[in-house]
Amino acid sequence: MDQDNNTISEFIMLGFTTDPMMQKILFAVFLVVYTLTLLGNSSLIVLICNDSRLHTPMYFFIGNLSFLDLGLSSVYTPKILATCISEDKSISFAGCVAQFFFSAALDYTECYLLAAMAYDRYVAISKPLLYSQAMSLKLCVFFVAASYLGGFINSVIITKDTFALNFCSDNVIDDFFCDIPPLVKLACGKKESFQSVLFFLLTSNVIIPIVFILATYLFIIAIILRIRSTQGRLKAFSTCSSHLISVTLYYGSILYIYARPRSSYSLDRDKIVSTFYTVVFPMLNPLIYSLRNKDVKEALKKLLK
């Protein structure tokens, strides 16, 4: 990345609206969502660390997912809140690079972690008696470390290529954060070569994990169908339902934003979808993994007592 290739020293965020009253309403909404995100994810991490019943591979991954969601939300929301109540809508070139890098790193890491969690669910259903031995702590730590390594390496690649683009003289980002579609829209020249890099990263970080997750769940469904009792089938499926919901919401949003042809981009519509997976989704994950979970409820009761 060489800032000398660009004449821009800062970007201007248009955000969602220029209406002062609507900005105040959005500030209140995002503040509530961010507060719930911090409380929900940090509480889930505390419960998993403090209760021995939650010291299992599944909760090890859920705790790391909550940590990622805390980081992802904190990359975006504070700047969104500042933009809503401040007349200064600018973000420095370096600040935009930093936001872009960490958001991409955490997003890609979460893609890999969700794939690792799918394998965890497969082992739990296919080898229930050997689950703890098969999913050893050493293996779980390896999966998490590999997820972070892959996420940050790919983030370095996409950040370097994105900010190597020539942004000419236009510095107005029609969005609430530094993201690929609005930044590419500002760039002039060399977009075709960038699209090939973007396609490679989309394949390695999104498509391959999705294919792996789908294949894993095909095996899981085959195992569940061999269970004779209806109650046994429902119990087996319930262990995967939270992960399935999480995967559908997260990957669905990302594919909608990044897997479409450029001609179909609509920044106004994309802002809403981006808001969901960057701000709302981190708030929903603790609810998805705890509302129907008896172990988490018991751990919460124990902690409150």
Side-chain angles (χ1 to χ4, degrees):
M1 277 176 301
D2 186 359
Q3 190 173 344
D4 293 336
N5 292 335
N6 302 283
T7 59
I8 293 173
S9 61
E10 65 178 18
F11 293 98
I12 306 298
M13 301 283 193
L14 291 184
F16 291 93
T17 178
T18 56
D19 182 8
M21 181 57 68
M22 185 58 67
Q23 286 181 344
K24 292 178 182 177
I25 294 174
L26 288 174
F27 173 83
V29 171
F30 281 118
L31 182 61
V32 170
V33 171
Y34 186 48
T35 302
L36 292 175
T37 300
L38 295 179
L39 289 174
N41 285 287
S42 57
S43 298
L44 193 54
I45 292 172
V46 169
L47 287 176
I48 292 171
C49 291
N50 287 342
D51 198 298
S52 59
R53 289 173 296 182
L54 303 183
H55 293 174
T56 64
M58 181 180 76
Y59 291 109
F60 178 79
F61 288 121
I62 291 175
N64 279 278
L65 185 65
S66 290
F67 180 77
L68 281 175
D69 286 336
L70 280 174
L72 192 60
S73 181
S74 297
V75 167
Y76 298 113
T77 314
K79 184 60 180 176
I80 296 174
L81 293 173
T83 303
C84 287
I85 60 174
S86 172
E87 293 184 2
D88 183 11
K89 310 296 183 184
S90 65
I91 182 172
S92 67
F93 188 91
C96 189
V97 172
Q99 186 187 65
F100 185 96
F101 171 77
F102 284 107
S103 63
L106 295 174
D107 274 326
Y108 294 156
T109 300
E110 190 154 333
C111 287
Y112 292 127
L113 187 63
L114 287 172
M117 292 173 72
Y119 178 75
D120 170 73
R121 294 297 81 211
Y122 166 74
V123 174
I125 291 176
S126 63
K127 303 175 182 178
L129 299 179
L130 301 174
Y131 173 55
S132 296
Q133 291 90 337
M135 292 299 297
S136 64
L137 178 60
K138 185 178 181 180
L139 181 61
C140 292
V141 170
F142 169 77
F143 279 145
V144 172
S147 298
Y148 273 98
L149 182 63
F152 276 80
I153 288 176
N154 283 294
S155 180
V156 169
I157 296 172
I158 190 62
T159 303
K160 178 180 180 296
D161 282 69
T162 300
F163 288 92
L165 294 170
N166 187 354
F167 295 110
C168 307
S169 57
D170 192 0
N171 68 335
V172 179
I173 295 178
D174 189 8
D175 212 328
F176 60 92
F177 69 104
C178 296
D179 197 16
I180 292 175
L183 286 171
V184 172
K185 188 178 180 181
L186 295 182
C188 51
K190 297 185 178 179
K191 292 186 180 181
E192 288 72 20
S193 60
F194 177 80
Q195 287 295 325
S196 62
V197 174
L198 183 59
F199 177 77
F200 167 76
L201 291 173
L202 181 68
T203 302
S204 61
N205 293 291
V206 180
I207 304 301
I208 291 177
I210 286 177
V211 171
F212 177 80
I213 291 171
L214 290 175
T216 301
Y217 271 101
L218 286 176
F219 285 112
I220 289 174
I221 291 171
I223 294 170
I224 291 176
L225 291 177
R226 290 202 297 266
I227 300 175
R228 294 183 179 181
S229 68
T230 303
Q231 186 178 0
R233 290 180 181 179
L234 291 175
K235 184 178 180 181
F237 182 76
S238 67
T239 63
C240 304
S241 58
S242 296
H243 181 254
L244 268 175
I245 294 170
S246 182
V247 165
T248 302
L249 294 176
Y250 188 72
Y251 281 108
S253 302
I254 290 180
L255 286 174
Y256 179 83
I257 294 292
Y258 301 110
R260 294 174 297 141
R262 283 188 298 169
S263 58
S264 65
Y265 281 160
S266 171
L267 291 179
D268 288 335
R269 185 172 61 245
D270 290 354
K271 287 180 190 178
I272 299 174
V273 181
S274 296
T275 303
F276 181 81
Y277 87 85
T278 58
V279 179
V280 178
F281 183 76
M283 179 193 69
L284 294 178
N285 259 340
L287 300 176
I288 293 172
Y289 286 102
S290 62
L291 280 181
R292 297 177 58 192
N293 195 307
K294 185 174 70 173
D295 292 333
V296 174
K297 291 179 181 178
E298 291 297 325
L300 181 60
K301 290 178 181 178
K302 180 181 177 181
L303 182 66
L304 292 176
K305 288 180 180 179

